[in-house]
mmCIF file of all heavy atoms in Angstrom:
data_model
loop_
_atom_site.group_PDB
_atom_site.id
_atom_site.type_symbol
_atom_site.label_atom_id
_atom_site.label_comp_id
_atom_site.label_asym_id
_atom_site.label_seq_id
_atom_site.Cartn_x
_atom_site.Cartn_y
_atom_site.Cartn_z
ATOM 1 N N ALA A 2 1.636 -11.212 -2.101
ATOM 2 C CA ALA A 2 1.352 -12.245 -3.098
ATOM 3 C C ALA A 2 0.636 -11.638 -4.301
ATOM 4 O O ALA A 2 -0.052 -10.624 -4.192
ATOM 5 C CB ALA A 2 0.484 -13.327 -2.472
ATOM 6 N N LYS A 6 -2.411 -8.809 -4.676
ATOM 7 C CA LYS A 6 -2.357 -7.621 -5.539
ATOM 8 C C LYS A 6 -3.576 -7.572 -6.451
ATOM 9 O O LYS A 6 -4.160 -6.515 -6.676
ATOM 10 C CB LYS A 6 -1.081 -7.637 -6.384
ATOM 11 C CG LYS A 6 0.181 -7.422 -5.605
ATOM 12 C CD LYS A 6 1.391 -7.522 -6.518
ATOM 13 C CE LYS A 6 2.671 -7.476 -5.728
ATOM 14 N NZ LYS A 6 3.857 -7.684 -6.587
ATOM 15 N N VAL A 26 -24.366 9.986 -12.996
ATOM 16 C CA VAL A 26 -25.825 9.927 -12.861
ATOM 17 C C VAL A 26 -26.338 11.026 -11.939
ATOM 18 O O VAL A 26 -27.354 11.667 -12.238
ATOM 19 C CB VAL A 26 -26.263 8.531 -12.358
ATOM 20 C CG1 VAL A 26 -27.728 8.515 -11.992
ATOM 21 C CG2 VAL A 26 -25.989 7.493 -13.430
ATOM 22 N N PRO A 34 -35.870 14.642 -12.701
ATOM 23 C CA PRO A 34 -35.978 13.693 -11.581
ATOM 24 C C PRO A 34 -34.951 12.564 -11.722
ATOM 25 O O PRO A 34 -34.543 12.215 -12.840
ATOM 26 C CB PRO A 34 -37.397 13.154 -11.691
ATOM 27 C CG PRO A 34 -38.094 13.956 -12.715
ATOM 28 C CD PRO A 34 -37.082 14.701 -13.490
ATOM 29 N N ALA A 43 -24.384 5.445 -18.997
ATOM 30 C CA ALA A 43 -23.343 5.541 -17.969
ATOM 31 C C ALA A 43 -23.081 4.186 -17.331
ATOM 32 O O ALA A 43 -21.927 3.814 -17.078
ATOM 33 C CB ALA A 43 -23.749 6.564 -16.909
ATOM 34 N N LEU A 44 -24.151 3.439 -17.084
ATOM 35 C CA LEU A 44 -23.997 2.116 -16.472
ATOM 36 C C LEU A 44 -23.212 1.180 -17.386
ATOM 37 O O LEU A 44 -22.262 0.518 -16.953
ATOM 38 C CB LEU A 44 -25.373 1.540 -16.155
ATOM 39 C CG LEU A 44 -25.415 0.344 -15.216
ATOM 40 C CD1 LEU A 44 -26.727 0.356 -14.440
ATOM 41 C CD2 LEU A 44 -25.287 -0.953 -15.937
ATOM 42 N N GLU A 69 5.791 -15.389 -10.498
ATOM 43 C CA GLU A 69 4.742 -15.715 -9.536
ATOM 44 C C GLU A 69 3.336 -15.589 -10.124
ATOM 45 O O GLU A 69 2.367 -15.934 -9.456
ATOM 46 C CB GLU A 69 4.844 -14.785 -8.332
ATOM 47 C CG GLU A 69 6.177 -14.817 -7.638
ATOM 48 C CD GLU A 69 6.297 -13.699 -6.614
ATOM 49 O OE1 GLU A 69 5.303 -13.017 -6.353
ATOM 50 O OE2 GLU A 69 7.404 -13.511 -6.107
ATOM 51 N N ARG A 76 -3.307 -22.381 -0.348
ATOM 52 C CA ARG A 76 -3.838 -21.244 0.425
ATOM 53 C C ARG A 76 -4.451 -20.204 -0.512
ATOM 54 O O ARG A 76 -5.543 -19.674 -0.242
ATOM 55 C CB ARG A 76 -2.715 -20.626 1.250
ATOM 56 C CG ARG A 76 -3.139 -19.459 2.086
ATOM 57 C CD ARG A 76 -1.988 -18.997 2.969
ATOM 58 N NE ARG A 76 -2.362 -17.840 3.710
ATOM 59 C CZ ARG A 76 -1.947 -16.605 3.448
ATOM 60 N NH1 ARG A 76 -1.098 -16.399 2.463
ATOM 61 N NH2 ARG A 76 -2.339 -15.603 4.173
ATOM 62 N N PHE A 83 -13.034 -18.747 -0.983
ATOM 63 C CA PHE A 83 -13.753 -18.177 0.159
ATOM 64 C C PHE A 83 -14.240 -16.758 -0.162
ATOM 65 O O PHE A 83 -15.395 -16.408 0.109
ATOM 66 C CB PHE A 83 -12.841 -18.168 1.385
ATOM 67 C CG PHE A 83 -13.479 -17.644 2.629
ATOM 68 C CD1 PHE A 83 -14.594 -18.246 3.174
ATOM 69 C CD2 PHE A 83 -12.944 -16.536 3.272
ATOM 70 C CE1 PHE A 83 -15.168 -17.761 4.334
ATOM 71 C CE2 PHE A 83 -13.506 -16.046 4.431
ATOM 72 C CZ PHE A 83 -14.631 -16.659 4.967
ATOM 73 N N TYR A 86 -17.169 -16.980 -2.587
ATOM 74 C CA TYR A 86 -18.406 -17.421 -1.922
ATOM 75 C C TYR A 86 -19.047 -16.282 -1.152
ATOM 76 O O TYR A 86 -20.256 -16.074 -1.221
ATOM 77 C CB TYR A 86 -18.121 -18.574 -0.966
ATOM 78 C CG TYR A 86 -17.853 -19.894 -1.620
ATOM 79 C CD1 TYR A 86 -17.250 -20.917 -0.915
ATOM 80 C CD2 TYR A 86 -18.199 -20.138 -2.941
ATOM 81 C CE1 TYR A 86 -16.994 -22.145 -1.500
ATOM 82 C CE2 TYR A 86 -17.943 -21.353 -3.535
ATOM 83 C CZ TYR A 86 -17.338 -22.346 -2.815
ATOM 84 O OH TYR A 86 -17.081 -23.556 -3.399
ATOM 85 N N GLY A 95 -28.946 -9.039 -4.775
ATOM 86 C CA GLY A 95 -29.301 -8.104 -5.839
ATOM 87 C C GLY A 95 -30.343 -8.672 -6.784
ATOM 88 O O GLY A 95 -31.254 -7.961 -7.221
ATOM 89 N N ALA A 119 -25.603 -4.322 -6.268
ATOM 90 C CA ALA A 119 -25.310 -5.657 -5.738
ATOM 91 C C ALA A 119 -24.051 -6.239 -6.381
ATOM 92 O O ALA A 119 -23.231 -6.854 -5.694
ATOM 93 C CB ALA A 119 -26.500 -6.580 -5.971
ATOM 94 N N PHE A 120 -23.870 -6.025 -7.681
ATOM 95 C CA PHE A 120 -22.645 -6.500 -8.334
ATOM 96 C C PHE A 120 -21.418 -5.788 -7.764
ATOM 97 O O PHE A 120 -20.383 -6.413 -7.522
ATOM 98 C CB PHE A 120 -22.718 -6.287 -9.847
ATOM 99 C CG PHE A 120 -23.476 -7.351 -10.567
ATOM 100 C CD1 PHE A 120 -24.632 -7.046 -11.247
ATOM 101 C CD2 PHE A 120 -23.045 -8.668 -10.572
ATOM 102 C CE1 PHE A 120 -25.351 -8.020 -11.919
ATOM 103 C CE2 PHE A 120 -23.750 -9.654 -11.238
ATOM 104 C CZ PHE A 120 -24.904 -9.326 -11.913
ATOM 105 N N PHE A 139 -6.169 -16.841 7.215
ATOM 106 C CA PHE A 139 -7.344 -17.423 6.593
ATOM 107 C C PHE A 139 -7.998 -18.360 7.598
ATOM 108 O O PHE A 139 -7.404 -19.325 8.037
ATOM 109 C CB PHE A 139 -6.936 -18.180 5.335
ATOM 110 C CG PHE A 139 -8.056 -18.888 4.675
ATOM 111 C CD1 PHE A 139 -9.170 -18.206 4.224
ATOM 112 C CD2 PHE A 139 -8.012 -20.252 4.478
ATOM 113 C CE1 PHE A 139 -10.211 -18.867 3.602
ATOM 114 C CE2 PHE A 139 -9.037 -20.917 3.855
ATOM 115 C CZ PHE A 139 -10.142 -20.220 3.425
ATOM 116 N N PRO A 141 -11.477 -20.133 7.525
ATOM 117 C CA PRO A 141 -12.814 -20.465 7.039
ATOM 118 C C PRO A 141 -13.649 -21.080 8.152
ATOM 119 O O PRO A 141 -13.122 -21.740 9.029
ATOM 120 C CB PRO A 141 -12.554 -21.484 5.935
ATOM 121 C CG PRO A 141 -11.262 -22.099 6.308
ATOM 122 C CD PRO A 141 -10.470 -21.025 7.002
#
Side-chain angles (χ1 to χ4, degrees):
K6 291 177 187 175
V26 171
L44 195 150
E69 303 170 8
R76 180 175 177 255
F83 182 60
Y86 286 163
F120 278 117
F139 176 59

